[in-house]
Amino acid sequence: MTETNTSLEAPAMDAITGKPMPKPIPASTLVIFRDQPGSDAPDLLMVERSAKMVFAAGAAVFPGGRIDDADFEFAKTLGHADFDEYGARIAAVRESIEETGIAVAVEGNLDAKRVSDARHALHQGTNLADICNQFDWQLELEKLIPFSRWCPPFAEKRVFDTRFYMISHDDHKAQATVDETENYNLFWGNAQSVLDRAEAGEVKIIFPTKRNLERLAQFGSFDEAVAHVKDHPSVMVSPHIEKRDGETHLCIPEGIGYPITSESMDAVQRGFKK
C-alpha cells in the first residue's frame, strides 16, 4: 500500500474567494516616537505615500518597506542566528533613513551631512552594511521593540507579512524630509490627531494603520507603550471576515492589545483599490 505524503503543506487559500494565496513578501515598519514635553501624547512620524504606488497609494503610513536579501545577509554577518527577525530590524532602520532622512538605532557620527550622504547612497543601491563600514556606524538593533505583525489572508496583488517595531527618537533637531519617490509628504502628529484627520477626510489610512493608531493612542509616552507591549507581546494579526447584525465586518482577534477589533467592510480602507 502506497503511503500518502503529508509532509507538504497545502497552499494557503484566500479567506473570501478561496483562491490560492501568493507567497507573502516580508516587510518591516517602524513607529518612531518623539515624546513632547508638556504634551499628553507623543508624536509619531507618518509618511504619505505617492499616489503612483501599487500598495497604499496616497495613504499615511509609518515608514517602512520590504525586507531585502541584503538585510538578511547583514543580520547573518552581525552574528544573529534569528536572521529573519534581525533582518527585519535592519530593514526598518534602512527604510527610515531612505524614506525620512532620520537615522535611528545607529551609533556613530550622525551629523546631518553624513546622514544625507548615507541616504543618497541607499537610494543609489548601496547596501546598509557597506555604509556602516564606511561611516563607522554600529546598529543598536535591540532598541527596536516588537509591536505587532500583520499578514492578511486575502489574495491581493501583493501580500505583505509586515513586522511593526517601535523606537524612541527625541532628537528634535533631526529634520525629517520626504524622499520624493515613494512619499510626497511627511508629518509628526500624535496618534489621535492622525485618526481625527482621517475622520475629517484630510488623510487616508488603511485598516492596519487605523487599528495600530487606535492602539497607540492609548499611550502618553514611549515608556507607556513599552510597558503595554510587555503585557501584550507581538503576535501575528491575520484579519478575518464576520457577519455582525447582518453587516459584513473585517475583524482582528480580541485580547491582543487593540481597543477596536472590527470595522464595517463598507468603511474599510484597504491597501489596494477595490
Side-chain angles (χ1 to χ4, degrees):
M1 181 176 179
T2 302
E3 185 174 332
T4 302
N5 184 354
T6 59
S7 62
L8 297 177
E9 293 184 3
M13 309 301 284
D14 185 295
I16 298 177
T17 66
K19 294 180 180 179
M21 289 282 294
K23 184 178 180 180
I25 299 167
S28 186
T29 291
L30 192 55
V31 183
I32 303 175
F33 283 67
R34 190 171 69 179
D35 285 343
Q36 296 284 17
S39 175
D40 293 334
D43 277 350
L44 310 173
L45 184 56
M46 308 291 297
V47 300
E48 291 188 84
R49 290 171 63 81
S50 166
K52 297 179 181 179
M53 300 299 292
V54 174
F55 178 73
V61 298
F62 305 108
R66 69 175 61 206
I67 306 168
D68 295 338
D69 289 341
D71 300 319
F72 293 126
E73 290 302 320
F74 193 9
K76 293 178 185 178
T77 300
L78 292 174
H80 295 291
D82 188 353
F83 58 85
D84 283 335
E85 170 65 26
Y86 283 88
R89 296 188 187 207
I90 289 168
V93 173
R94 174 181 55 75
E95 287 284 350
S96 173
I97 298 172
E98 288 183 17
E99 293 193 346
T100 73
I102 297 289
V104 295
V106 177
E107 176 65 31
N109 182 348
L110 296 177
D111 69 74
K113 174 67 164 55
R114 178 155 289 200
V115 175
S116 178
D117 288 346
R119 184 185 196 182
H120 178 73
L122 286 170
H123 283 161
Q124 295 300 308
T126 304
N127 293 335
L128 183 58
D130 293 335
I131 291 170
C132 287
N133 287 333
Q134 178 185 347
F135 291 164
D136 194 25
W137 283 355
Q138 289 79 44
L139 299 186
E140 301 178 304
L141 300 177
E142 300 302 331
K143 287 188 174 181
L144 275 67
I145 308 297
F147 179 64
S148 189
R149 184 175 177 182
W150 285 65
C151 188
F154 308 116
E156 305 280 13
K157 299 174 184 176
R158 297 174 187 170
V159 175
F160 292 95
D161 175 357
T162 306
R163 301 178 193 232
F164 290 78
Y165 298 95
M166 309 185 304
I167 195 167
S168 176
H169 185 75
D170 289 333
D171 181 2
H172 289 233
K173 294 181 181 179
Q175 296 294 317
T177 56
V178 297
D179 67 5
E180 297 181 351
T181 55
E182 294 186 4
N183 60 70
Y184 71 93
N185 185 39
L186 51 75
F187 60 90
W188 291 92
N190 66 60
Q192 188 57 56
S193 73
V194 181
L195 290 167
D196 291 343
R197 290 183 64 184
E199 183 67 23
E202 297 174 6
V203 296
K204 172 187 173 183
I205 53 176
I206 60 176
F207 183 81
T209 308
K210 188 173 185 179
R211 301 286 83 84
N212 282 318
L213 284 168
E214 290 160 350
R215 186 177 176 188
L216 292 162
Q218 302 175 104
F219 313 134
S221 67
F222 179 72
D223 287 345
E224 284 187 18
V226 172
H228 167 89
V229 168
K230 288 181 179 178
D231 292 333
H232 302 281
S234 174
V235 297
M236 178 69 82
V237 181
S238 192
H240 60 278
I241 304 294
E242 283 186 17
K243 281 283 190 179
R244 298 187 176 182
D245 299 323
E247 190 174 23
T248 304
H249 278 68
L250 188 59
C251 309
I252 61 175
E254 303 278 351
I256 58 173
Y258 289 88
I260 299 175
T261 58
S262 71
E263 185 174 3
S264 168
M265 285 295 290
D266 291 338
V268 166
Q269 294 276 353
R270 295 173 67 181
F272 296 98
K273 294 179 180 180
K274 297 178 181 179

